Amino acid sequence: MSTKIGRKINEGVSAEIFEWENNEKIIKLAKNKKRHQAMLTEYLNSQVAWDSGVSVPQPFKLVDVDGRPGIVFERIYGETLMERFVNQKGLNYEDIARTTAKILSETHEKTIQNIPSQREPIICSINQADYLTTSEKKLVIDILNSIPIKQQLCHGDPNMNNILIKDNRPLLIDWRHASIGNPEVDLAEYILMIRYAILPMVRHAISPRNITSKTAEYINLIKEEMIKVFIDEYTKLSDITYEDIDSWIIPMAARRLSVGIIPKFEKEQLVAEIRRRLKTYK
Ligand SMILES: Nc1ncnc2c1ncn2[C@@H]1O[C@H](COP(=O)(O)OP(=O)(O)OP(=O)(O)O)[C@@H](O)[C@H]1O
Ligand SMILES: [Mg+2]
């Protein structure tokens, strides 16, 4: 093991986070030794975001520790939006939704090159998705292709674990899925995440303690209001409308059907929403 590596701070699905060299740096080390390409992509995307002035931890370099690829970043002393949500028992959901809308709108203002374009991978994922018939997939892709292409910086995974708060300032981390394209993709992703995945995410965050039925009930009660606050704030900060965002719900729900870690019951709910919405296109 490298002597530069220190205490483990945290972990996500794909990586572990350790102290690195001193108090000012961390290393995000892939769990899987084969993730060189993914870490390279994340490093380059983070670099583009940093260079363009988005609020992100400074990326320093790509390294290899015992065969595992890693990225050295500036260490942020703060909490994730998920920690804030859980610690305050969801009472601050409006703040959380507004903070997310604000940092996303700042990100989306950037129009830069050198980042993969967004649409082809989405179409590819929709084609791979089980659960939908071939004709449904075709209809979804036709809807997607009818939306004009934009060229804005998008994060790709704007979930509550990927926003850190330091001195009340939000920073976006985890740029693996960044792209150039339509900002509504991030917005629809966030909306679908809150609508269908917030409970499992909260459950994961407070593990090993179990989520009480009262908390689950409360989250179910506020989640649509949280989405509304998010959309209200984002539309205030940009020229994007409710309708622009709404037209991305079908394609982004279909895209989520190809994501391996999303459980079957969530995919069934997504399919139900897609079919309900597709009826209005026939
Ligand atoms: N620069 C940083 N400074 C301090 N803590 C960080 C930093 N980067 C990441 N973390 C912590 O580590 C956690 C996981 O980081 P990250 O989201 O980059 O990993 P991941 O494995 O890609 O996550 P995912 O579960 O989304 O795949 C974050 O939620 C945060 O708590
Ligand atoms: Mg993450």
Side-chain angles (χ1 to χ4, degrees), residues 17 50 60 115 118 132 173-174 197 206 231 235 238 263 265 280:
I17 314 295
W50 169 260
F60 292 113
I115 274 204
Q118 182 181 63
L132 294 179
I173 61 166
D174 208 351
I206 62 178
I231 302 177
T235 49
S238 71
F265 71 87
T280 62

Side-chain angles (χ1 to χ4, degrees), residues 99-158:
T99 302
T100 309
K102 190 162 178 293
I103 191 156
L104 285 179
S105 72
E106 285 166 11
T107 301
H108 296 154
E109 278 167 16
K110 313 287 178 191
T111 48
I112 43 186
Q113 265 90 55
N114 304 329
I115 274 204
S117 91
Q118 182 181 63
R119 194 155 303 196
E120 299 76 32
I122 296 179
I123 293 176
C124 189
S125 300
I126 295 171
N127 273 322
Q128 279 167 13
D130 295 333
Y131 296 88
L132 294 179
T133 65
T134 309
S135 60
E136 284 170 331
K137 285 183 201 175
K138 186 179 174 311
L139 194 49
V140 172
I141 292 169
D142 287 347
I143 292 168
L144 171 56
N145 281 331
S146 72
I147 305 173
I149 293 181
K150 297 180 184 175
Q151 300 282 346
Q152 289 165 253
L153 177 62
C154 300
H155 178 268
D157 187 13

